[in-house]
Amino acid sequence: MSEDDADRIDRNRRHFLTVATAVTGAAGIGAAAVPFLSSLKPSARAQALGAPVEVRISAMQPGEMVRVLWRGKLIFVLRRTEEMLARLPEAIDELRDPYSEVVEQQPEYAVNETRSVKEEFLVVEGSCTHLGCAPLEDFEVRPSEGWGGGFFCPCHGSKFDLAGRVYKGVPAPTNLRVPPHRFVKDDVILIGQDTGVA
Ligand code: FES
């Protein structure tokens, strides 16, 4: 691991602990809610058991990311800026699977240059493919570090670009997984269901 990576781990440690606590708290709430499933209305019960989740994206600004839970999994929805999209080809040679050839990591409709249905919106699981830590967003471009923005896992230093593609030479073996999803309206993404068509 380079000194830059070590520095970044230190910088992110406090943030990571906060995120880990928040996720643990959310999981605890979910577990506590399970005994009460039978008392929920059908739609709420289906949601708790893993029904698709709608994400309204109309208020999202370019460069903004939201997190949602689907089946207990953290999902990142990032609205990429034009600059972010323009940077995607730049690090191709440094990526382990730049063309999304590991088929399990995304539905077929996300096998493209941006790993997305609509290039502006990246939808990926917020789970590092090494041992499952939640990666941190790090969208700041730092040319001196060869970093064009993306996601950084503070557990063991894995790095992913702005399409969730893993860099070479890090512990994570594969790209971040793209969950099934589709646009049910221009401003609503349904996560967890695609009926085979994006
Ligand atoms: S869990 Fe992310 S690098 Fe190990």
Side-chain angles (χ1 to χ4, degrees):
M1 186 185 304
S2 70
E3 280 185 25
D4 286 341
D5 287 343
D7 287 347
R8 205 180 320 167
I9 287 174
D10 286 341
R11 281 204 308 273
N12 285 321
R13 191 174 301 278
R14 182 183 300 275
H15 184 187
F16 168 65
L17 289 173
T18 304
V19 171
T21 303
V23 170
T24 303
I29 291 168
V34 170
F36 304 108
L37 281 176
S38 60
S39 65
L40 296 175
K41 292 180 182 173
S43 58
R45 186 162 62 236
Q47 184 96 357
L49 287 172
V53 175
E54 282 191 352
V55 182
R56 298 190 179 278
I57 54 175
S58 51
M60 287 182 69
Q61 299 302 310
E64 188 179 342
M65 188 174 89
V66 299
R67 297 168 176 77
V68 296
L69 282 178
W70 168 63
R71 294 187 177 174
K73 297 176 185 176
L74 186 61
I75 306 291
F76 296 158
V77 180
L78 168 64
R79 182 173 182 181
R80 291 177 288 207
T81 63
E82 287 187 13
E83 290 77 10
M84 287 172 158
L85 288 166
R87 288 203 296 276
L88 288 181
E90 291 178 1
I92 291 281
D93 292 343
E94 299 166 48
L95 303 175
R96 185 169 281 156
D97 181 17
Y99 303 109
S100 300
E101 291 174 312
V102 179
V103 294
E104 300 83 9
Q105 293 312 104
Q106 62 281 308
E108 209 174 311
Y109 48 75
V111 180
N112 52 52
E113 289 179 349
T114 58
R115 301 188 77 225
S116 60
V117 176
K118 293 187 180 180
E119 63 178 21
E120 209 175 344
F121 289 94
L122 175 70
V123 181
V124 289
E125 294 184 10
S127 175
C128 178
T129 53
H130 180 219
L131 294 175
C133 287
L136 303 171
E137 70 267 36
D138 185 357
F139 301 151
E140 182 189 345
V141 180
R142 293 187 296 278
S144 62
E145 298 176 25
W147 181 245
F151 302 89
F152 174 73
C153 181
C155 288
H156 311 98
S158 289
K159 296 183 279 190
F160 306 85
D161 80 346
L162 289 161
R165 297 176 296 185
V166 68
Y167 277 78
K168 294 175 183 170
V170 301
T174 56
N175 296 339
L176 297 180
R177 185 185 288 261
V178 177
H181 66 283
R182 66 189 174 100
F183 283 77
V184 289
K185 296 180 192 169
D186 278 350
D187 62 349
V188 179
I189 302 175
L190 187 66
I191 294 170
Q193 186 194 82
D194 54 16
T195 62
V197 180

